Structure formats: C-alpha cells, structure tokens
Amino acid sequence: MVGKFITLEGGEGVGKTTNLRYIQECIEAAGIELVVTREPGGTEFAEKIRELLLTPSDETVCEMSELLLVFAARAQHLEQLIKPALAAGKWVLCDRFIDATHAYQGGGRQMNQQIINTLESMVLGSLQSDLTLLLDLPVEVGMARARARAALDRFEQEKVEFFERVRARYLERAAASQGRIQVIDAAPALPEVQAQIAAALAQMGVGA
Ligand code: T5A
C-alpha cells in the first residue's frame, strides 16, 4: 500500500501555514495516518540547508548555489522522510515541494528550465504529488500579509517583479498539470478559502 502525497504551494503571505493546519485536521479526521513536513527542510540536515537558504546574507548568493542547495535539501528529505512514509502507507502533507523550485528559481530567478528539469529527474525520478493545492493571491496582498506578520527572510526581500514572475509560473504550471495542481483563491476570508480546500480534498475521498 502506498500513501498519498499532497503538497501546498503559493507565493509569499498566501496563508500556507494557516491552511496547512486545516488540511491536517481534515485528513486526520478521516482516520488517515499523516506526516506533515515542509521544504526546504523536513529533516535535521535539510533544516540546516533551509537556514542557509532563508537567512539574509551580506554575500550575494549565486543562483546556481541556491538551486543546488534546494535540491540537496530535497534529496535528503525524500530519502529520509517522504519515500519511507509513503511506502509505509502513510499520507504526506508537504508545505512546498518541486513546484516551488519551478516558480521561484525558474520563474522568479529566470534560471534555465532544462537545468531544473535535469535536477528534477535526478532527484525525484518519476515521483510527483497526487494533489497540489496552489493558494493564489495578488502579489501586493500577499506581501502586505507577509510584512504584517514577521521580519522578511532572504526571498521575501525580493522586488515585486520577482513575485509576479513566481505567481505567473505557478499559474502556468497549474494550467498544464491536468488537475494535479488545483488553484485555490486565497483572497477571501479564511472560511471561504477552506471551503475550496475541502472541495479539493473531497476529490481524494477526504471529508464529506
Ligand atoms: N523556496 C522554497 C524556493 O525558492 N524554492 C524551493 O524549491 C522551495 C521549496 C520558503 C522560502 O523558500 C523559497 C520560497 C520561500 O520564499 P516558506 O516559509 O515556505 O519559505 O514561505 P513563506 O511564503 O514565507 O510561508 P509562510 O508559511 O511563512 O507564510 P504563508 O504560508 O504564505 O502565510 P501565513 O499562513 O503565515 O499567513 C500570512 C498572514 O496572513 C494571514 C495569516 O493570519 C498571517 O498573518 N492570513 C489571512 N488573512 C486574511 N485572510 C485570509 N484568508 C488569510 N490567510 C492567512
């Protein structure tokens, strides 16, 4: 028996952390054993890489260094946590995964698509999410929410154009995903956002 792999994606301040807890409650209420994790990170070693990636630095971090660190963390996360959990029949709920790399490094940083595809196939093989919920919000609304919440990390200090490219790449991928990526309008009040999430989860047999 192989578990289901659900990922949560979106730009800055879209409410991933807020809605992750709701998704966890829905899945666990259905009696499914669930592992909740995040990227970059998810294991002790990968969390150290996360720290490197998110902490603002006086030294300019080159794009290739950033990309390779993202995939290094992901390789560790997959081998240590995600694959064993799925193989044991557990479901895995992950805050960001490969679509974030396409959106941030591919869209935001405008890195070469072929390089990202090559690393994806080396690290993931044929693995992909069963369902990805993409929380979508106009960039200025998300940035305002993120600014109101806490000090900005290294990515959050990017310009608005960067986040417009991130959002555009996410939406392009959703349109091409044949239903794997479901777009959730994250602009309304939380109950309305969560009603959309519940409808998407229902398609996987979770909930009413
Ligand atoms: N990254 C990651 C890459 O570049 N490449 C990769 O491959 C990967 C995996 C990770 C960073 O790493 C980059 C992308 C990221 O920049 P992160 O912590 O996952 O960082 O990303 P953040 O976007 O910072 O995620 P957070 O979880 O910190 O923020 P959220 O989830 O966007 O937002 P959240 O839930 O904290 O909500 C923000 C505020 O909005 C309010 C909340 O209460 C909160 O105050 N809110 C709402 N307000 C009104 N209406 C609603 N519907 C609301 N929903 C939430």
Side-chain angles (χ1 to χ4, degrees):
M1 192 175 81
V2 177
K4 300 277 186 208
F5 185 30
I6 300 177
T7 64
L8 191 56
E9 296 277 4
E12 306 300 314
V14 293
K16 286 184 299 89
T17 305
T18 308
N19 287 296
L20 193 81
R21 285 185 220 108
Y22 173 73
I23 298 168
Q24 178 176 8
E25 281 164 23
C26 292
I27 295 173
E28 288 178 346
I32 295 163
E33 201 175 343
L34 180 71
V35 173
V36 181
T37 186
R38 68 174 180 181
E39 289 213 341
T43 75
E44 191 182 338
F45 187 77
E47 288 288 329
K48 288 181 186 162
I49 300 176
R50 178 188 177 91
E51 189 70 26
L52 278 175
L53 281 163
L54 297 196
T55 306
S57 164
D58 291 337
E59 179 179 340
T60 304
V61 178
C62 79
E63 292 173 353
M64 186 56 76
S65 177
E66 179 181 284
L67 180 70
L68 293 172
L69 282 173
V70 162
F71 273 107
R74 181 164 297 136
Q76 187 71 11
H77 191 204
L78 277 165
E79 294 310 315
Q80 292 292 315
L81 194 134
I82 295 177
K83 286 184 185 172
L86 293 173
K90 296 174 189 167
W91 286 30
V92 175
L93 172 60
C94 190
D95 187 346
R96 296 194 186 280
F97 192 61
I98 185 67
D99 295 299
T101 309
H102 286 284
Y104 280 78
Q105 281 66 48
R109 301 265 188 249
Q110 300 178 293
M111 291 191 74
N112 182 293
Q113 188 61 48
Q114 195 49 51
I115 293 174
I116 298 176
N117 289 344
T118 301
L119 288 166
E120 177 175 356
S121 104
M122 284 167 64
V123 173
L124 273 67
S126 60
L127 184 130
Q128 61 172 11
S129 65
D130 295 290
L131 173 68
T132 292
L133 298 170
L134 170 59
L135 298 178
D136 179 58
L137 197 58
V139 168
E140 62 277 16
V141 181
M143 290 307 292
R145 286 185 189 173
R147 270 190 225 106
R149 183 199 47 192
L152 300 182
D153 66 32
R154 195 173 63 80
F155 288 96
E156 288 166 342
Q157 294 176 357
E158 290 292 336
K159 294 194 171 70
V160 72
E161 295 80 12
F162 175 91
F163 296 109
E164 293 290 3
R165 291 196 298 273
V166 168
R167 184 184 187 206
R169 184 60 59 91
Y170 266 134
L171 291 172
E172 280 166 31
R173 287 181 66 76
S177 75
Q178 300 182 318
R180 178 182 68 85
I181 304 177
Q182 301 222 358
V183 181
I184 306 292
D185 179 5
L190 212 44
E192 203 176 312
V193 174
Q194 292 179 342
Q196 296 173 61
I197 291 173
L201 291 175
Q203 291 169 21
M204 298 194 79
V206 171

